[in-house]
Amino acid sequence: MPRDHRPAKSIRVLLAEDQGMLRGALALLLGMEPDIEVVAQVAAGDVIVDAVLTHRPDVALLDIELPGKSGLDAAAELRDQAPDCRVLILTTFGRPGYLRRAMEAGAAGFLVKDGPVEELAQAIRRVLTGETVVDPALAAVALSAGPNPLTTRECDVLRASADGATVADIATKLHLSESTVRNYLSSAIGKTGTRNRMEAMREARQQGWL
């Protein structure tokens, strides 16, 4: 709809999505809503906070898996640096652990990308009024899944295990002793019910704990 047909006060939205075609399509579709204006688009997580502080959107619509920094980490920073900006997570990965982490980071909503744009537009309006909007199917799964059993350090060593890193590599990266790394890895393997650290990392990612 032409800008001069918009209401005097449109909802200002920042869109963070690393896939250019999807980002452009979302911006176009949301821009057709009479009361929504996409004021900024970013493709990486580490520029979200600066973009929010510059453009002052009412709602930040964030993907989770972004280059540089995850949308969940950016949401936690926005909670402290731009508390008036409501955060709505929009992701391909409807994982229970992601939902819990998003709520802990202060997000006002969590939706998966396969829903209609009309539902997304309505969610943007609802979070701006103070509501919390969560995909109902995912909410039910998250409640039954329980909390993340892994400690922060166990998550750290699993992340550092990617790409075939050795125990010595992990110890150097995290400034830990090799025996401490082995203990964390053993504990993580036990908690995830897997056979080795690579399986533990895959399971933790699948659950949204990493």
Side-chain angles (χ1 to χ4, degrees):
M1 180 173 290
R3 286 288 298 272
D4 57 349
H5 287 177
R6 290 180 180 275
K9 181 67 171 72
S10 294
I11 301 171
R12 296 169 59 82
V13 173
L14 174 140
L15 179 58
E17 165 62 55
D18 63 327
Q19 297 182 36
M21 186 177 295
L22 178 56
R23 185 175 65 251
L26 278 174
L28 179 63
L29 291 170
L30 289 174
M32 295 174 67
E33 297 291 321
D35 58 341
I36 294 176
E37 180 182 7
V38 178
V39 297
Q41 301 179 46
V42 299
D46 49 6
V47 299
I48 289 173
V49 173
D50 285 345
V52 166
L53 295 176
T54 298
H55 297 280
R56 295 293 176 181
D58 301 303
V59 177
L61 187 59
L62 311 181
D63 191 8
I64 291 180
E65 298 192 355
L66 294 166
K69 181 180 296 182
S70 77
L72 297 176
D73 290 335
E77 291 186 18
L78 289 175
R79 177 183 54 195
D80 299 327
Q81 298 191 42
D84 292 336
C85 178
R86 302 284 281 171
V87 172
L88 181 58
I89 299 293
L90 181 66
T91 181
T92 303
F93 305 103
R95 297 168 179 168
Y98 278 169
L99 173 57
R100 288 180 177 274
R101 289 168 61 193
M103 297 299 103
E104 290 169 359
F110 192 106
L111 296 175
V112 291
K113 292 178 181 176
D114 59 1
V117 70
E118 294 82 6
E119 181 179 303
L120 175 59
Q122 190 57 31
I124 290 171
R125 299 181 185 105
R126 289 172 62 190
V127 298
L128 197 58
T129 67
E131 289 187 56
T132 298
V133 181
V134 176
D135 179 271
L138 181 58
V141 173
L143 286 174
S144 63
N148 178 4
L150 302 174
T151 66
T152 300
R153 270 311 196 184
E154 288 165 356
C155 288
D156 289 341
V157 296
L158 285 180
R159 289 190 190 95
S161 295
D163 303 321
T166 65
V167 169
D169 293 334
I170 299 169
T172 299
K173 182 176 182 179
L174 299 180
H175 307 288
L176 299 171
S177 70
E178 292 186 23
S179 61
T180 299
V181 169
R182 290 191 183 92
N183 288 338
Y184 282 135
L185 288 172
S186 177
S187 179
I189 291 167
K191 289 179 179 179
T192 54
T194 53
R195 296 173 297 180
N196 55 58
R197 59 177 168 149
M198 298 309 295
E199 288 186 5
M201 182 177 64
R202 284 194 293 270
E203 176 64 18
R205 283 181 171 170
Q206 181 62 36
Q207 293 296 329
W209 296 334
L210 297 183

